[in-house]
Amino acid sequence: MKPLRLLLFAAAAATSAAAGASGPSPMSAADSLAARMESAGMVDASLSAPAIEVNLMYGRDDNFTGVAMYPEGFDKAYLHPEASKGLAAAQKALSAEHPGYRLRIADAARPMSVQTKMYNTVKGTPMAPYVSNPARGGGLHNYGLAVDITIVDASGHELPMGTKIDHLGPEANIHREKQLVAQGKITEAARQNRILLRRVMKAGGFMPLRSEWWHFNLRSRADARDRYRRLDF
């Protein structure tokens, strides 16, 4: 019986050694992306202002492309530290004007690999002009200097803005809002909510995009290319 016990002990030891040699479980795609964001100098925007909510629209397939752009489980909004600081100032301005209201991020820093996937998904369709061409350098999301954002009230409901985020059409334009109200395409309440969003984002140093009420840039494209590092991964 002694030889048998020795054989069993040796087998158990070999199994244990094999398990140890395999090392820790591989990092998930979501964790890997988060690690790359952080190694590139991006920061979790919600850490600078805990009141800010995150609900990444490209983490799901119910966005305008119909495809999830981020890996399953990726749910953090990363930004360049300057943009994150500006967003905290915007939330402070919003809270001062409307206690209980929160900013809700729908998209933030976006790696070039995701930008390329997004562009290729809509290439050759009427949606293509709405996505920055990676072959031309991409856009400010790719530097962590742009954010897609809205406001939620104290009950967690998004304020009416006339359209959903990522509505591809003139109803999303900010330079024709009075006309849209006159035509009955958006309400005056929605226009005032958009004005509120622009006001608090301006307090954080952000600039609006004329065609998309939800999109705000911290810097110009020229400034980004000259002074900041693109997320080339």
Side-chain angles (χ1 to χ4, degrees):
M1 293 300 294
K2 187 174 180 180
L4 178 58
R5 286 198 298 270
L6 289 174
L7 286 173
L8 291 174
F9 177 80
T15 301
S16 177
S22 66
S25 300
M27 186 180 291
S28 71
D31 288 342
S32 177
L33 179 55
R36 298 199 72 173
M37 287 283 202
E38 291 170 9
S39 67
M42 300 293 109
V43 297
D44 182 349
S46 64
L47 296 181
S48 62
I52 293 174
E53 295 187 3
V54 176
N55 187 5
L56 297 181
M57 59 185 170
Y58 297 124
R60 309 180 304 271
D61 60 9
D62 60 341
N63 60 71
F64 81 99
T65 70
V67 178
M69 294 289 137
Y70 296 120
E72 184 178 358
F74 184 75
D75 58 2
K76 293 182 179 178
Y78 285 94
L79 286 171
H80 187 279
E82 293 175 15
S84 183
K85 182 179 179 180
L87 206 57
Q91 177 61 55
K92 183 178 180 180
L94 178 61
S95 296
E97 190 168 342
H98 292 280
Y101 279 23
R102 297 170 175 243
L103 294 170
R104 176 179 284 173
I105 300 173
D107 197 35
R110 186 187 303 158
M112 286 300 289
S113 59
V114 175
Q115 187 71 28
T116 300
K117 178 180 179 180
M118 184 179 294
Y119 185 77
N120 288 340
T121 300
V122 301
K123 188 176 180 180
T125 74
M127 298 179 288
Y130 293 91
V131 181
S132 295
N133 189 339
R136 297 175 183 171
L140 288 165
H141 279 292
N142 308 129
Y143 293 85
L145 297 170
V147 64
D148 295 333
I149 201 160
T150 190
I151 298 173
V152 297
D153 63 20
S155 298
H157 300 122
E158 291 189 3
L159 299 189
M161 297 288 183
T163 75
K164 295 174 63 175
I165 290 182
D166 259 13
H167 173 83
L168 306 184
E171 296 81 8
N173 298 169
I174 69 173
H175 60 289
R176 59 176 76 189
E177 287 170 343
K178 288 185 178 180
Q179 179 184 353
L180 292 170
V181 171
Q183 294 172 341
K185 293 185 176 180
I186 68 172
T187 65
E188 177 60 21
R191 187 175 83 91
Q192 291 302 322
N193 289 336
R194 293 184 185 187
I195 291 172
L196 170 63
L197 178 61
R198 292 197 291 271
R199 185 163 62 245
V200 300
M201 292 299 285
K202 183 178 179 180
F206 287 88
M207 302 167 286
L209 187 66
R210 286 206 324 163
S211 58
E212 300 173 358
W213 61 260
W214 58 85
H215 181 104
F216 292 85
N217 297 323
L218 188 71
R219 301 285 183 259
S220 68
R221 290 196 184 201
D223 197 18
R225 290 172 182 144
D226 289 344
R227 299 176 48 216
Y228 298 85
R229 185 173 64 167
R230 196 175 62 179
L231 301 174
D232 287 331
F233 55 85

